Amino acid sequence: MLWTAVGVTAVCAAIIGLPFAAPKPLSASKPGLPRAALAFFAISALLYVNQVIFNAWMVLEHNADPAYLRQFVHSQHYFNLAPQHPPVAWLVAWAGDGEWMAPSFLRVQAVLELPWALTAYLMITALLHPPTARQIAAGPLGAFAAVSHTAVLCVVEVLLWNPWTEQDLALRVVGLVLTLPLLRWIGREPTAEAPPSAVQLVNFFVGLGAASALVLGGNLVALLYNLAWLDEVALILAAATLMLSLCLWVRSRPTPATDSALVTALHHVGARFTLTFAAPALAIRYGMTHSAAVTLAGIAAAVVILTALITGLSDAAAAQPPDRRGAFWVRAVLAVGLAAPAAVFDWLSPLGVPVGELPDAWLLVRLAQTLFAFSLGWGVGGVLRPFAPTPAK
């Protein structure tokens, strides 16, 4: 029943969010500091500090024995502790008494998870199109996304019921209340409109990979209480942080506009997708993992994708000279025709490549498959250009 509620949330968020997902004009201004990125890194630091406190609490109060914790969460993917981690060892020696550290277990994450997830989403969106990120943060879409995400997180809390669930549910509401003014602050960031650019599109995909590594790593280490894994992923996280910082800098630089219809199409579809996906994102992500919600989550995903394709391709077609629009739609139809099966089928598992089965990583794999197939279909459409309809004279 609760998993069905996640699927229902996904469908409702996808449909109700559509009226808020229309692009709005933006007055030009000089770009400022990337506020979503600053907030994301600040919250990530707080999550790390909480892990240090949590591990110290486990040492002082429970002899660093995860068996105490696994009576509440039965999974080997949680609670890999690091009592010898230098900041943990220092805190243990300094604190003496760990009773005040108890809220570091579950309670702190209940407040920080929502703003961490939303600032990551806005940071990635800003890499593609800063005005879209500002529109989400500043307007009703961001607030609606925060409410939708909170509803899903509360359902997950109930599914993982434990002695602290009632506190966590109340703290989820606190997290929502704190997130709304944070979104408004991000939405007031000075942002300049810029035409589609091949450089910026490549920069977006590189930044998306870097940001995804940080989100996956932060989820594994901080949200699942696996500080012991930090040493194994620290080099990856450091490289991803440097790469993302570089991408944020490139995003702030002026680059020449593209004359490529493919780049224009990907830019507009991507911008529309980030708008339509903002509200149901978390519900779709969780719904896809359970049989009771997967059908409804798939319907929500279809609503998001079809809306983004139709509106994004229409935006891109309108940007083309009239005599090229027929050829544009031939390419677009073939590109979508090849991209659709690429998005549905898993090409890696039959080849024995395990990354396609990792939590959340499979989304990046499907994205890469889909983009490759879309580009291939676009190229085939170029060969068929002579058969494209031409405007009447």
Side-chain angles (χ1 to χ4, degrees), residues 31-377:
L33 291 173
R35 294 186 180 184
L38 293 175
F40 171 78
F41 284 119
I43 297 169
S44 297
L46 291 176
L47 288 170
Y48 166 74
V49 170
N50 185 67
Q51 282 304 295
V52 170
I53 296 172
F54 165 74
N55 276 259
W57 173 68
M58 283 298 299
V59 172
L60 292 169
E61 300 294 320
H62 301 284
N63 298 315
D65 184 3
Y68 165 76
L69 302 168
R70 292 200 170 110
Q71 62 182 308
F72 309 116
V73 179
H74 307 284
S75 173
Q76 295 301 313
H77 297 298
Y78 285 72
F79 310 129
N80 292 277
L81 306 180
Q84 302 305 319
H85 187 58
V88 174
W90 174 86
L91 184 57
V92 168
W94 174 82
D97 178 14
E99 185 176 352
W100 63 271
M101 303 177 185
S104 63
F105 180 45
L106 297 177
R107 270 65 56 85
V108 171
Q109 275 90 336
V111 176
L112 296 181
E113 187 173 7
L114 174 68
W116 187 69
L118 284 179
T119 53
Y121 189 88
L122 292 171
M123 176 177 65
I124 292 170
T125 300
L127 282 171
L128 177 65
H129 193 223
T132 297
R134 189 172 112 172
Q135 176 181 338
I136 295 172
L141 185 56
F144 183 54
V147 172
S148 171
H149 285 33
T150 299
V152 174
L153 292 169
C154 286
V155 170
V156 174
E157 288 284 4
V158 175
L159 288 167
L160 300 174
W161 191 272
N162 57 67
W164 300 276
T165 296
E166 292 181 357
Q167 294 179 40
D168 289 341
L169 291 173
L171 289 170
R172 292 286 180 190
V173 177
V174 172
L176 171 61
V177 172
L178 294 176
T179 298
L180 295 178
L182 176 63
L183 292 176
R184 298 292 294 179
W185 176 73
I186 294 172
R188 291 194 297 269
E189 176 187 336
T191 305
E193 181 65 84
S197 162
V199 172
Q200 294 294 0
L201 187 64
V202 172
N203 183 65
F204 163 72
F205 286 120
V206 174
L208 173 62
S212 298
L214 291 176
V215 170
L216 291 172
N219 183 66
L220 289 173
V221 172
L223 297 185
L224 302 186
Y225 302 91
N226 293 311
L227 189 61
W229 293 358
L230 181 59
D231 288 344
E232 298 179 28
V233 299
L235 186 59
I236 295 174
L237 295 181
T241 299
L242 289 173
M243 183 59 68
L244 179 58
S245 300
L246 177 61
C247 291
L248 290 167
W249 178 82
V250 171
R251 176 68 264 184
S252 68
R253 310 303 297 172
T255 53
T258 185
D259 58 359
S260 166
L262 174 59
V263 171
T264 302
L266 291 174
H267 172 89
H268 283 288
V269 170
R272 287 282 193 165
F273 178 82
T274 55
L275 281 168
T276 55
F277 190 56
L282 196 65
I284 291 173
R285 183 265 185 199
Y286 275 107
M288 287 293 188
T289 65
H290 198 277
S291 59
V294 68
T295 300
L296 289 172
I299 292 172
V303 170
V304 169
I305 293 169
L306 288 174
T307 300
L309 280 173
I310 293 170
T311 56
L313 290 174
S314 297
D315 292 343
Q320 303 300 309
D323 61 338
R324 296 183 185 178
R325 289 175 187 168
F328 175 91
W329 281 112
V330 168
R331 288 187 160 196
V333 169
L334 287 170
V336 172
L338 287 185
V344 172
F345 297 110
D346 182 2
W347 294 355
L348 291 186
S349 292
L351 299 176
V353 181
V355 68
E357 300 175 0
L358 293 175
D360 297 327
W362 67 273
L363 286 170
L364 296 176
V365 173
R366 295 292 177 86
L367 175 62
Q369 292 176 185
T370 303
L371 287 172
F372 173 78
F374 189 94
S375 301
L376 180 62

